[in-house]
Amino acid sequence: MKKLTQRFQEIHEMLGGICDEVYHYWADARKSNRYIIWQERGESDSHWADNHQQEQVLSVDIELYVLDPLDGTIDAVQELLNAEALSWSYDGSQYETDTGLIHHSWGCEFG
C-alpha cells in the first residue's frame, strides 16, 4: 500500500498536468484568474484483507476557480478524471463575489 503522503503528491501532480497553479487546502485568490485547490475529505470504501488495509481509497474535493465561464480547464478536469478512471461527480458552480471568479466543484475517489 502506498504511503498517504505519496498519494497526496500523485494527486497534486495529476492536477498540475491541466493547470499551472494547483494548491492543497488554500490559495491566495488575488494571484490568478485560474487555479485549482484540492483537499481530501477522508477515507472512502477502502479494501481490507487479513485484518490489514490493502488499498486506501481517498475521498477528495477539487475546486477550480476561473474568470471565463467557458474556460477549457472546466472540461479538462472532467477529461482527466475520466482518463484516470476515477469515480467522480460534478457538484456545481457558483460565482464568488469577493474575487469575481467562477468556482466549480467536483467530488472524487482516488483508489
Side-chain angles (χ1 to χ4, degrees):
M1 188 173 82
K2 293 181 182 179
K3 293 181 178 182
L4 190 56
T5 53
Q6 181 182 2
R7 305 282 308 288
F8 291 167
Q9 186 64 33
E10 290 173 353
I11 294 167
H12 198 90
E13 290 173 2
M14 181 186 74
L15 293 170
I18 58 169
C19 186
D20 292 336
E21 294 189 46
V22 177
Y23 303 95
H24 193 192
Y25 301 120
W26 179 87
D28 184 349
R30 296 169 290 179
K31 289 185 175 183
S32 176
N33 289 332
R34 180 188 305 114
Y35 59 94
I36 291 174
I37 301 174
W38 70 274
Q39 67 182 16
E40 61 281 0
R41 272 188 259 160
E43 193 170 312
S44 188
D45 295 327
S46 296
H47 305 281
W48 294 77
D50 298 323
N51 293 322
H52 294 285
Q53 190 174 60
Q54 302 298 312
E55 181 182 9
Q56 187 174 40
V57 178
L58 298 177
S59 181
V60 174
D61 290 323
I62 297 173
E63 314 289 334
L64 172 65
Y65 294 83
V66 294
L67 183 61
D68 179 358
L70 300 177
D71 190 298
T73 312
I74 299 164
D75 292 330
V77 169
Q78 297 194 156
E79 290 167 0
L80 174 68
L81 297 174
N82 280 333
E84 294 291 328
L86 301 173
S87 173
W88 61 273
S89 64
Y90 179 66
D91 296 331
S93 65
Q94 61 188 14
Y95 180 75
E96 301 287 342
T97 57
D98 56 334
T99 63
L101 298 176
I102 302 165
H103 171 192
H104 296 272
S105 300
W106 291 265
C108 319
E109 292 190 358
F110 288 84

